[in-house]
Amino acid sequence: MEFLLLVFIAILSGLVGSLVGLGGGIILVPATLFIGLNLGMIPELTPQKVVGLSVVMMIFTGLASTLSYMKSKTVDYKSGLIFFIGSIPGTILGAWVNKGLDLPSFNLYFGILLIILATILLVRDKLKPVQWFVKNGMKQEFTDASGKTYVYGYPIWFAVTITFAIGFASGLFGIGGGSMIVPAMIILFLFPPHVAVATSMFMVFLSSIVSSASHIYLGHVPWLYTIPVIPGAYIGAKLGAALNKRIKSDTLVLALRIILLLLGIRSILDGLL
């Protein structure tokens, strides 16, 4: 039963993560903690093992999504590599800090992060784009299928700084980083939404390799449970990338805001009580 549930969770994680550029871990981590520890179906799991499972999964969601987005030519490889370079030290540091967290502490801090992410998603559409970063940074252009040209960009020093913080959260909680970098890319750097999602998944793929290596070294990966999770996540990510080209993700993002808020409140209460 737990294997079937993990397959379902992995497909949903890959689908949602790829569709809106989140990476998938933000769904997998709380859902797996719930069925594994709250319901007692996988009692040997720990927060460290769930995070290890999540970062391994995100290698494959990132790969599947990137391969799909490569065909539509929406991946900004240069920006993705710059963001990845900035995230490397943060990812390693986050994985190292993770080993010292017990379950109540993990739930408390993870819940706070989920509420912050829900708030970011909530206000994302209400914030006016910031022009300063494009005017004072490296500029790039993208022309979509309809012929509309977008100008976007960022100061490299700022991009490296922000991705260090995102890499730290990714290594600590196994969430991938896309949930934080996509709003920054759209609001601060003026990325076209589809380019932001595609580039985010490319960065998630690269940073998950580093994060996975760190967690493997620390012994945090429950290899048995990668069997249902990896193929499920890969299939979900391919579906999400295909849907991203066809539908607007506004409805999904609205649902995700509510889900993250509820999960965050529950996680904080679990941590405190």
Side-chain angles (χ1 to χ4, degrees), residues 21-119:
L22 299 181
I26 205 161
I27 303 294
L28 183 87
V29 171
T32 305
L33 280 174
F34 179 74
I35 70 161
L37 300 180
N38 292 71
L39 298 183
M41 299 184 71
I42 317 175
E44 69 271 20
L45 281 184
T46 64
Q48 287 76 19
K49 289 182 178 180
V50 173
V51 170
L53 180 63
S54 177
V55 294
V56 170
M57 175 202 74
M58 285 187 296
I59 294 176
F60 296 90
T61 58
L63 176 61
S65 303
T66 300
L67 291 174
S68 296
Y69 290 131
M70 284 172 64
K71 296 177 182 177
S72 59
K73 298 181 180 179
T74 51
V75 180
D76 181 344
Y77 299 102
K78 184 177 182 180
S79 295
L81 287 170
I82 291 171
F83 298 159
F84 167 62
I85 290 169
S87 72
I88 290 174
T91 298
I92 296 171
L93 180 61
W96 182 80
V97 173
N98 170 271
K99 69 180 183 179
L101 290 180
D102 56 17
L103 182 58
S105 298
F106 183 89
N107 280 330
L108 176 61
Y109 300 139
F110 188 60
I112 292 171
L113 178 65
L114 290 180
I115 290 177
I116 291 172
L117 294 179
T119 304

Side-chain angles (χ1 to χ4, degrees), residues 19-238:
L19 185 59
V20 293
L22 299 181
I26 205 161
I27 303 294
L28 183 87
V29 171
T32 305
L33 280 174
F34 179 74
I35 70 161
L37 300 180
N38 292 71
L39 298 183
M41 299 184 71
I42 317 175
E44 69 271 20
L45 281 184
T46 64
Q48 287 76 19
K49 289 182 178 180
V50 173
V51 170
L53 180 63
S54 177
V55 294
V56 170
M57 175 202 74
M58 285 187 296
I59 294 176
F60 296 90
T61 58
L63 176 61
S65 303
T66 300
L67 291 174
S68 296
Y69 290 131
M70 284 172 64
K71 296 177 182 177
S72 59
K73 298 181 180 179
T74 51
V75 180
D76 181 344
Y77 299 102
K78 184 177 182 180
S79 295
L81 287 170
I82 291 171
F83 298 159
F84 167 62
I85 290 169
S87 72
I88 290 174
T91 298
I92 296 171
L93 180 61
W96 182 80
V97 173
N98 170 271
K99 69 180 183 179
L101 290 180
D102 56 17
L103 182 58
S105 298
F106 183 89
N107 280 330
L108 176 61
Y109 300 139
F110 188 60
I112 292 171
L113 178 65
L114 290 180
I115 290 177
I116 291 172
L117 294 179
T119 304
I120 291 172
L121 289 173
L122 186 65
V123 303
R124 184 176 79 179
D125 298 333
K126 297 177 175 61
L127 296 176
K128 293 182 179 180
V130 179
Q131 301 289 337
W132 185 89
F133 295 96
V134 175
K135 292 178 180 177
N136 293 276
M138 179 182 68
K139 295 182 180 67
Q140 300 194 75
E141 290 188 0
F142 172 77
T143 303
D144 63 18
S146 66
K148 183 178 180 179
T149 298
Y150 297 83
V151 178
Y152 62 96
Y154 46 85
I156 294 178
W157 66 266
F158 185 81
V160 170
T161 302
I162 196 173
T163 50
F164 171 84
I166 290 169
F168 177 77
S170 176
L172 184 60
F173 296 113
I175 60 170
S179 48
M180 290 170 279
I181 192 63
V182 169
M185 292 164 74
I186 293 173
I187 298 168
L188 302 181
F189 305 157
L190 306 188
F191 271 68
H194 288 305
V195 176
V197 170
T199 305
S200 166
M201 294 308 298
F202 176 55
M203 189 199 81
V204 165
F205 167 60
L206 296 176
S207 61
S208 295
I209 295 174
V210 176
S211 190
S212 294
S214 301
H215 283 283
I216 290 169
Y217 174 77
L218 294 168
H220 292 170
V221 179
W223 292 107
L224 177 63
Y225 297 111
T226 62
I227 297 172
V229 165
I230 288 174
Y234 189 87
I235 292 168
K238 296 289 281 187

